[in-house]
C-alpha cells in the first residue's frame, strides 16, 4: 500500500524488543512488527518458544529477528541484553512490555488462588514478572531511548486493567464456594498498575521523544472449555472472544509514526466488553 498515511506505519529497520515474545500474543506482536518492516527482538525466559517464533518469522516473512533467553525480573540479564542488542543493531526503537507469569484459571478449583488463601509467594512471583519486569525493562531500555531522543514503549495491559474480573464466568458446577476457581488478584493489580506506569512514563519522558501507551486486549480464544467461552462471550457485545491476530493492527499503529501524537493513552480493544 502506498500514500502518506500508510508510509507512517512503516517500521523499516526499527529494533523492537518484545518481552514474552515466545507466547501466544508475543508471537503476534513480533509478526506485526516484522510485517511493517521492523526487527523483532524476541525476549523470553523460554528459549525454545522464542526460537520457534524467530524461525517462523524467517520462514513466513523472510524477516530478520533476534531470539534471546532473558529473565526480565533480573536486572543484570537485562543490562546484558541491552549490550547485545546495541552491539548488533546500535539502537533500540521500541519496547513492548508483554511478558506475564499469567497463571491461568485452572480447570479444578484451586483453593490457593482465592483471595483469602493467596500466598505471598504467588503475589511476589506474579508481580515480579508483570510489574517489576515491565518497570526494569522500561528503565533500562527507556534510558537508551531517552539518550537517543526517540522511542516507543507499549505496555500490554488487559480489559481487566479497566474493569474487575467477573468471577462468575470461572465458577464450576458442584464446587463449594470456598473452592471455586477465580481470576487471581495479581492479574487486576498488575494490569491496573501497568496503566499507572504508562501515564507516569509518558509524562516523565515527554521531552525526550519517547511515547508511552497501553493496549488493553480482551480475552483471546485459545481452546478454552466451551462452557467458559459461552459465559465470557455473553459479556461481550460483539459476541465473540478475540482471535490472536485481532491486535496486530493496533500494535503497528501504536508502535509507528501513525500514532505520533499519542502518549499516555489507554487503547481498549475488547469487542465492547468494557461498555457493558
Ligand atoms: N491471552 C489473552 O487472552 C490476553 C488477554 C488480555 C491480556 N493479555 C496479556 O497479553 C500478554 C501476553 O499474553 P499471552 O496470552 O501471550 O501469554 P503467554 O503465557 O502465552 O505468554 C507469556 C510469555 O511470557 C514469558 N515469560 C514469563 N515469565 C517471564 C520472565 N520472567 N522473563 C521473560 N519472559 C517471561 C512466558 O515464557 C511466555 O512465553 C500478557 O501480559 C497477558 O496478560 C492476554
Amino acid at each position: 500500500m502506498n500514500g502518506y498515511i500508510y508510509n507512517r506505519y512503516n517500521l523499516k529497520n526499527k529494533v523492537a524488543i518484545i518481552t514474552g515474545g515466545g507466547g501466544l500474543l508475543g508471537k503476534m506482536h513480533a509478526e506485526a512488527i516484522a510485517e511493517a518492516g521492523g526487527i523483532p527482538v524476541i525476549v523470553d525466559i523460554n528459549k525454545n518458544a522464542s526460537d520457534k517464533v524467530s524461525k517462523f518469522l524467517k520462514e513466513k516473512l523472510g524477516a530478520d529477528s533476534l531470539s534471546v533467553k532473558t529473565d526480565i525480573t533480573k536486572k543484570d540479564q537485562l543490562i546484558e541484553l541491552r549490550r547485545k542488542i546495541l552491539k548488533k543493531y546500535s539502537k533500540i526503537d521500541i519496547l513492548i512490555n508483554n511478558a506475564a507469569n499469567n497463571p491461568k484459571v485452572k480447570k479444578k478449583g484451586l483453593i490457593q488462588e482465592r483471595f483469602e488463601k493467596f500466598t505471598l509467594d504467588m503475589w511476589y512471583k506474579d508481580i515480579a514478572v508483570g510489574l517489576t519486569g515491565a518497570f526494569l525493562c522500561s528503565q533500562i531500555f527507556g534510558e537508551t531511548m531517552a539518550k537517543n531522543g526517540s522511542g516507543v514503549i507499549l505496555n500490554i495491559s488487559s480489559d481487566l486493567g479497566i474493569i474487575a474480573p467477573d468471577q462468575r464466568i470461572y465458577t464450576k458446577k458442584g464446587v463449594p464456594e470456598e473452592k471455586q476457581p477465580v481470576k487471581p488478584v495479581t492479574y487486576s493489580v498488575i494490569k491496573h498498575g501497568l496503566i499507572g506506569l504508562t501515564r507516569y512514563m509518558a509524562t516523565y519522558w515527554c521531552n525526550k521523544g519517547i511515547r508511552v501507551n497501553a493496549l488493553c486486549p480482551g480475552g483471546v480464544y485459545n481452546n478454552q472449555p466451551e462452557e467458559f467461552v459461552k459465559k465470557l462471550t455473553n459479556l461481550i457485545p460483539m459476541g465473540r472472544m478475540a482471535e490472536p491476530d485481532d491486535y496486530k493492527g493496533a500494535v503497528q499503529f501504536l508502535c509507528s509514526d501513525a500514532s505520533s501524537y499519542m502518549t499516555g493513552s489507554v487503547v481498549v480493544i475488547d469487542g465492547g466488553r468494557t461498555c457493558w
Side-chain angles (χ1 to χ4, degrees):
M1 263 184 268
N2 240 320
Y4 174 72
I5 192 60
Y6 295 114
N7 292 338
R8 302 198 73 178
Y9 280 85
N10 194 344
L11 292 175
K12 194 162 169 46
N13 295 328
K14 298 280 185 192
V15 177
I17 299 171
I18 302 159
T19 70
L24 177 70
L25 284 184
K27 181 183 178 194
M28 292 295 132
H29 305 330
E31 206 176 287
I33 297 289
E35 280 173 4
I39 304 166
V41 178
I42 304 148
V43 174
D44 209 292
I45 200 167
N46 179 345
K47 180 78 162 68
N48 189 30
S50 59
D51 280 351
K52 268 193 192 154
V53 173
S54 192
K55 189 164 171 263
F56 169 83
L57 294 176
K58 188 85 205 157
E59 284 169 5
K60 187 180 171 194
L61 304 169
D64 180 23
S65 68
L66 189 63
S67 159
V68 198
K69 178 174 178 163
T70 303
D71 179 348
I72 62 157
T73 69
K74 304 280 188 319
K75 192 167 181 173
D76 55 335
Q77 291 191 23
L78 290 171
I79 290 171
E80 173 56 19
L81 172 64
R82 177 170 66 180
R83 194 196 59 76
K84 248 189 219 161
I85 297 171
L86 291 179
K87 188 165 175 237
K88 190 163 162 75
Y89 299 114
S90 315
K91 65 191 177 102
I92 295 166
D93 300 295
I94 297 162
L95 165 66
I96 304 183
N97 282 315
N98 167 79
N101 207 21
N102 243 1
K104 301 273 185 306
V105 174
K106 305 286 188 318
K107 284 186 181 162
K108 290 214 162 146
L110 261 188
I111 190 165
Q112 71 272 26
E113 292 203 347
R114 291 189 66 79
F115 188 69
E116 296 87 340
K117 305 278 180 187
F118 204 80
T119 64
L120 255 190
D121 184 50
M122 293 166 81
W123 172 270
Y124 286 134
K125 273 191 185 140
D126 289 351
I127 301 278
V129 182
L131 266 184
T132 314
F135 156 68
L136 285 174
C137 287
S138 303
Q139 186 183 54
I140 290 162
F141 305 124
E143 186 189 30
T144 302
M145 292 175 184
K147 273 189 196 148
N148 196 34
S150 75
V152 172
I153 299 177
L154 178 59
N155 292 322
I156 306 298
S157 176
S158 165
D159 52 0
L160 300 184
I162 306 287
I163 56 171
D166 186 338
Q167 302 293 5
R168 292 170 299 183
I169 68 174
Y170 307 106
T171 55
K172 297 273 162 210
K173 274 196 194 114
V175 176
E177 192 187 357
E178 67 280 8
K179 290 195 176 164
Q180 284 287 357
V182 290
K183 193 79 174 172
V185 59
T186 39
Y187 199 81
S188 286
V189 171
I190 289 166
K191 296 308 178 185
H192 280 76
L194 283 173
I195 292 176
L197 182 66
T198 300
R199 293 190 176 125
Y200 184 94
M201 295 193 297
T203 52
Y204 185 83
W205 274 324
C206 61
N207 60 349
K208 299 286 182 197
I210 302 180
R211 297 187 300 106
V212 188
N213 293 293
L215 176 64
C216 297
V220 178
Y221 180 68
N222 191 21
N223 294 312
Q224 291 92 341
E226 201 179 318
E227 192 197 338
F228 169 80
V229 174
K230 202 167 158 226
K231 285 194 232 168
L232 177 53
T233 50
N234 276 337
L235 299 175
I236 300 173
M238 284 182 72
R240 67 168 178 89
M241 292 181 72
E243 296 297 335
D245 64 358
D246 270 331
Y247 305 111
K248 281 171 62 179
V251 168
Q252 288 172 342
F253 172 68
L254 290 166
C255 289
S256 70
D257 287 348
S259 60
S260 56
Y261 193 50
M262 260 176 98
T263 198
S265 287
V266 178
V267 177
V268 184
I269 303 187
D270 63 353
R273 177 171 177 189
T274 52
C275 298
W276 258 351

